[in-house]
Amino acid sequence: MLADIKGLNEECGVFGIWGHPDAAQLTYYGLHSLQHRGQEGAGIVVTDGERLRTHKGSGLVNDVFSKGEIEGLIGHGAIGHVRYSTAGGNELANVQPLLFRSQTSSLALAHNGNLVNANALKHQLESQGSIFQTTSDTEVLAHLIKRSGYFTLTEKVKNALTMLKGAYAFLVMTENEMMVALDPNGLRPLSLGMLGDAYVVASETCAFDVVGATYVRDVQPGELLIINEDGLTVDTFSTSVQRSMCSMEYIYFSRPDSNIEGINVHAARKSLGKKMYEEAPIEADVVTGVPDSSISAAIGYAEASGIPYEIGLIKNRYVGRTFIQPSQELRELGVKMKLSPVRAIVEGKRVVMVDDSIVRGTTSRRIVKMLRAAGATEVHVRITAPPIAHPCYYGIDTSERAELIASKYSVDEIRDIIGADSLAFISVEGLMEGIGRSNAEPNCGQCLACFTGRYPTEIYPDTVLPYEKELV
Ligand code: SF4
């Protein structure tokens, strides 16, 4: 739903294209379709085979790029990035892609995810003489590549990637090639497509539809794709792989028209809504979803229950994103500005309010209150994620543990805090079944760490949480 007021934020989206004369323009459109993954900064680096050019800035893609700037980015290869950041401001130096120039060849990097051993690696690299230009974990990869004793760029990149722990979908570009890497757990989505003879990669397949590309396949955990004038070479940098796709991508982050590993996000959410009804049925008059990301699940709940789905809440689309809200009061005001109940729908009705998650509980409390003020006689809250009781170290800003309401209170207590007549969260099993995962892999190939506390990678004592990133 409303990411920036809820305290649940995606950390980035990446887009890359190789072998097309309008590479920058297509990247611009691709980034537009990934805008929901980050709104605080955007950038593109382009290559014409001889040099890398870049333009980046703070704000939305539309704010950062004018027609003239896009026209000035001439080349056949491009990588782009949209970024979300929290505390500490949005320093331009941290906006990606990061570009490193050297006498031999330049290097551009775009990263979605969060490295859990970035601090440890930074200490090590600084003790060897590295000087960091940014406070971003992404820069670590550039230093590791540059310092690698291997001879070819591919070997250097592979060697550097083996030292990273955590979540990363990386796009690396030099004057002559683009490389695409996904961490051994495949925590973040990354797909490969084709546009004529050009190769396209994106965090979500919705970007392919926008530029007219055809989906080819998902990038696999531990894979390194090398794309240059010889075409595509598939390599691997790790054989110790265990797919652990972020469950929140299905529940909340990705666009409903995207497919992740062949599963359509809208269909998965609808099925979660159905599962939710099986687990927690209730007698009511209308089902409504909190826009936008909970609408698919609400439709699923309505279909399974036979209770009509109605638009009981309206999102005000013309309120800009309220980026960094320092106090609880301002966050609450943000909810008021962005959502309105539809009195004609909810007045005198028993309402099922379907939402995708509860982080701090503040937003849910406000919405329940709003529905009651608009005349709802009962409000039953159904959440299509299990309780989020553990922080995410992999690029999702879920707040620290102390702020997570489910880390401190039982379901009944949360129900009372948010003022609902009843409250139910989907079970972890219901989540996996709802997404349609088979039981072939542990956790069905999903990361469930923010619900279960079982992290798919090692977590370091000084692992930097996404919301602390800027403070390092
Ligand atoms: S901890 Fe939660 S939000 Fe983070 S990657 Fe895992 S499932 Fe996604």
Side-chain angles (χ1 to χ4, degrees):
M1 55 151 295
L2 304 168
D4 50 329
I5 55 174
K6 194 172 193 177
L8 192 59
N9 297 283
E10 177 59 80
E11 276 287 302
C12 303
V14 294
F15 182 93
I17 182 162
W18 189 267
H20 198 289
D22 300 321
Q25 200 162 5
L26 292 163
T27 303
Y28 171 78
Y29 289 126
L31 292 182
H32 255 288
S33 66
L34 300 174
Q35 187 78 83
H36 58 288
R37 300 181 73 89
Q39 300 85 37
E40 296 205 356
I44 295 176
V45 173
V46 69
T47 177
D48 58 5
E50 289 184 358
R51 60 176 285 216
L52 300 182
R53 291 182 178 82
T54 185
H55 181 77
K56 62 182 188 173
S58 302
L60 301 172
V61 176
N62 252 348
D63 303 329
V64 173
F65 294 98
S66 67
K67 190 167 175 275
E69 275 141 5
I70 290 293
E71 283 171 357
L73 294 173
I74 299 159
H76 58 271
I79 62 173
H81 191 269
V82 285
R83 174 167 195 272
Y84 168 78
S85 73
T86 51
N90 191 20
E91 268 181 55
L92 187 60
N94 284 343
V95 177
Q96 299 187 26
L98 301 181
L99 176 55
F100 304 90
R101 299 202 188 270
S102 75
Q103 288 182 340
T104 43
S105 87
S106 301
L107 188 76
L109 289 179
H111 171 209
N112 177 29
N114 193 48
L115 304 178
V116 296
N117 64 338
N119 259 359
L121 289 170
K122 265 188 182 180
H123 285 310
Q124 192 188 319
L125 286 161
E126 280 181 355
S127 70
Q128 292 164 359
S130 284
I131 297 172
F132 284 83
Q133 299 170 21
T134 72
T135 56
S136 153
D137 57 333
T138 306
E139 193 181 344
V140 166
L141 180 64
H143 289 260
L144 291 173
I145 293 171
K146 206 66 197 162
R147 286 183 166 272
S148 168
Y150 284 86
F151 187 65
T152 67
L153 181 66
T154 303
E155 285 170 331
K156 283 174 189 279
V157 170
K158 281 171 70 171
N159 176 243
L161 290 169
T162 59
M163 290 183 233
L164 305 181
K165 302 268 187 285
Y168 51 91
F170 264 116
L171 303 187
V172 180
M173 195 173 76
T174 65
E175 287 84 350
N176 303 313
E177 58 192 344
M178 177 167 83
M179 294 186 183
V180 180
L182 187 63
D183 70 74
N185 292 101
L187 279 150
R188 307 255 72 91
L190 189 63
S191 298
L192 174 72
M194 296 286 305
L195 177 58
D197 293 332
Y199 291 93
V200 187
V201 281
S203 292
E204 286 185 43
T205 61
C206 64
F208 295 160
D209 301 328
V210 166
V211 301
T214 313
Y215 166 82
V216 175
R217 68 175 177 87
D218 288 340
V219 179
Q220 295 303 306
E223 220 172 36
L224 177 69
L225 308 182
I226 302 139
I227 304 167
N228 52 32
E229 62 180 7
D230 298 328
L232 170 72
T233 307
V234 179
D235 204 339
T236 53
F237 61 91
S238 173
T239 47
S240 171
V241 296
Q242 174 59 66
R243 171 65 93 175
S244 307
M245 171 62 71
C246 170
S247 297
M248 290 306 289
E249 291 284 352
Y250 291 100
I251 297 167
Y252 168 65
F253 291 119
S254 293
R255 256 175 50 165
D257 53 337
S258 289
N259 299 329
I260 308 171
E261 299 179 311
I263 300 167
N264 172 253
V265 172
H266 163 73
R269 285 182 192 158
K270 223 174 134 184
S271 150
L272 289 174
K274 287 185 181 165
K275 209 81 216 151
M276 187 80 252
Y277 177 71
E278 284 168 33
E279 292 189 357
I282 193 84
E283 277 188 26
D285 304 307
V286 290
V287 177
T288 195
V290 181
D292 292 318
S293 54
S294 306
I295 289 174
S296 306
I299 294 170
Y301 193 97
E303 272 184 24
S305 63
I307 304 167
Y309 166 77
E310 293 284 0
I311 297 177
L313 290 161
I314 293 282
K315 185 174 170 182
N316 182 357
R317 293 182 191 284
Y318 302 100
V319 175
R321 282 195 168 247
T322 43
F323 298 126
I324 300 160
Q325 297 173 339
S327 69
Q328 196 75 344
E329 293 74 42
L330 283 177
R331 267 188 211 119
E332 295 192 10
L333 187 65
V335 180
K336 264 193 202 158
M337 283 163 61
K338 292 182 172 202
L339 271 186
S340 306
V342 183
R343 181 174 283 276
I345 297 296
V346 302
E347 192 163 29
K349 307 267 177 55
R350 296 168 298 170
V351 177
V352 178
M353 179 194 116
V354 179
D355 201 357
D356 46 60
S357 49
I358 295 183
V359 181
R360 297 186 191 96
T362 321
T363 308
S364 308
R365 183 159 55 87
R366 297 295 310 189
I367 302 172
V368 170
K369 206 166 154 190
M370 261 182 212
L371 289 168
R372 288 202 196 283
T377 55
E378 292 175 20
V379 181
H380 301 277
V381 177
R382 296 293 179 269
I383 305 293
T384 54
I388 298 176
H390 306 272
C392 173
Y393 295 99
Y394 303 126
I396 306 300
D397 172 16
T398 54
S399 305
E400 59 183 305
R401 188 153 197 250
E403 285 194 340
L404 298 170
I405 195 167
S407 73
K408 292 182 287 193
Y409 299 105
S410 68
V411 174
D412 287 350
E413 287 168 333
I414 299 172
R415 177 202 61 212
D416 293 344
I417 292 169
I418 67 171
D421 291 281
S422 75
L423 167 68
F425 292 84
I426 202 165
S427 66
V428 168
E429 297 70 31
L431 166 65
M432 292 190 290
E433 277 175 40
I435 292 173
R437 290 298 205 170
S438 80
N439 281 316
E441 296 180 71
N443 288 337
C444 302
Q446 294 296 123
C447 175
L448 302 160
C450 50
F451 317 126
T452 62
R454 289 194 293 277
Y455 294 90
T457 71
E458 204 175 329
I459 299 296
Y460 290 67
D462 60 349
T463 292
V464 180
L465 284 164
Y467 72 97
E468 296 170 324
K469 250 184 184 176
E470 307 282 343
L471 305 175
V472 178

